[in-house]
Amino acid sequence: VLHLDSTKAHLGRRFAAESRILAYLNHPHIAQVFDAGTFTDKTSTAVPYFVMEYVQDAMTITKYSDQFELSTHERLEMFAHVCDAVYHGHQKGIIHRDLKPANILVDNTGQTKVIDFGVARSIDSDIALTTIDTDAGQILGTIQYMSPEQCDGDSNAVDTRSDVYSLGVVLYELLSGQLPYDASGTIYQAIRVIMEAKPQDPAR
């Protein structure tokens, strides 16, 4: 159960958006949300919550693969399940927008679970989530794994291909042990590298 400070309006909107988004998703490799709502605490403040599937002994996909010394073939098999999960989201009209190892967990049976659709954006104009916390000019996501379109801050340029790009960065790291480029430094330096630099050859 996640408790959220309801006095923070933008977090409250994002919480409501995430709960509604996850209600559209039902896939074995996406962490399931079982319930969502609000309760009143001792100060009579409405506190939103949601109840999500527990990922037993969760590790990030990169940590799990390294700790158990998975072969390249085993890593690719696991990653294929992640791609299936993201594709399911796309079929439901949802872009994740923050795909990274921390949001791709592996449980104690070796099953992957994609989590945290908190910065997701609907690509279906009929779903009233499109403008929630995804206004043009606002950068949402984790810089190292973001597509150039996301770095540019134009939400209208972001589509399912941004998730595919982020999956590519995760796969690069999963197989090589490092990111395709050095995105350290200030946020502006990182954005410039992502938008202008060529990734390092993974064979190196």
Side-chain angles (χ1 to χ4, degrees):
V1 180
L2 173 68
H3 294 176
L4 188 65
D5 182 356
S6 60
T7 62
K8 298 178 180 178
H10 69 289
L11 291 179
R13 290 195 303 272
R14 186 166 293 172
F15 164 83
E18 179 162 0
S19 300
R20 290 185 58 187
I21 285 168
L22 289 173
Y24 286 91
L25 304 177
N26 184 14
H27 190 277
H29 296 288
I30 295 176
Q32 186 69 42
V33 169
F34 300 116
D35 190 23
T38 59
F39 68 90
T40 303
D41 65 12
K42 294 180 180 180
T43 63
S44 298
T45 301
V47 180
Y49 71 89
F50 65 81
V51 183
M52 179 180 281
E53 173 184 358
Y54 178 61
V55 183
Q56 185 74 35
D57 299 326
M59 293 186 215
T60 67
I61 189 171
T62 47
K63 182 177 180 180
Y64 181 93
S65 298
D66 291 342
Q67 180 164 316
F68 290 96
E69 300 180 343
L70 299 188
S71 67
T72 297
H73 180 75
E74 290 170 326
R75 291 171 192 243
L76 290 174
E77 279 191 327
M78 184 180 298
F79 190 74
H81 293 310
V82 176
C83 293
D84 286 342
V86 174
Y87 177 72
H88 173 75
H90 291 174
Q91 291 295 98
K92 295 292 185 179
I94 304 299
I95 310 168
H96 189 288
R97 297 194 1 148
D98 194 21
L99 290 165
K100 57 187 177 183
N103 284 337
I104 304 171
L105 303 181
V106 185
D107 66 17
N108 59 358
T109 69
Q111 296 298 305
T112 55
K113 295 286 183 179
V114 178
I115 66 168
D116 193 3
F117 283 77
V119 298
R121 173 193 173 196
S122 170
I123 55 175
D124 183 347
S125 59
D126 293 332
I127 300 175
L129 298 174
T130 308
T131 60
I132 296 179
D133 280 329
T134 58
D135 297 332
Q138 184 177 13
I139 294 176
L140 295 175
T142 304
I143 286 290
Q144 292 90 334
Y145 301 90
M146 284 170 50
S147 69
E149 291 77 19
Q150 286 175 278
C151 289
D152 200 32
D154 182 2
S155 61
N156 293 320
V158 175
D159 58 28
T160 56
R161 291 170 295 181
S162 289
D163 278 352
V164 175
Y165 180 96
S166 297
L167 285 172
V169 178
V170 174
L171 179 59
Y172 186 110
E173 183 178 8
L174 187 64
L175 297 179
S176 72
Q178 63 182 40
L179 291 167
Y181 30 61
D182 181 6
S184 59
T186 68
I187 186 172
Y188 303 105
Q189 290 171 330
I191 288 173
R192 183 172 180 179
V193 167
I194 292 170
M195 296 185 69
E196 298 178 4
K198 290 184 178 181
Q200 300 179 60
D201 184 347
R204 297 178 59 190

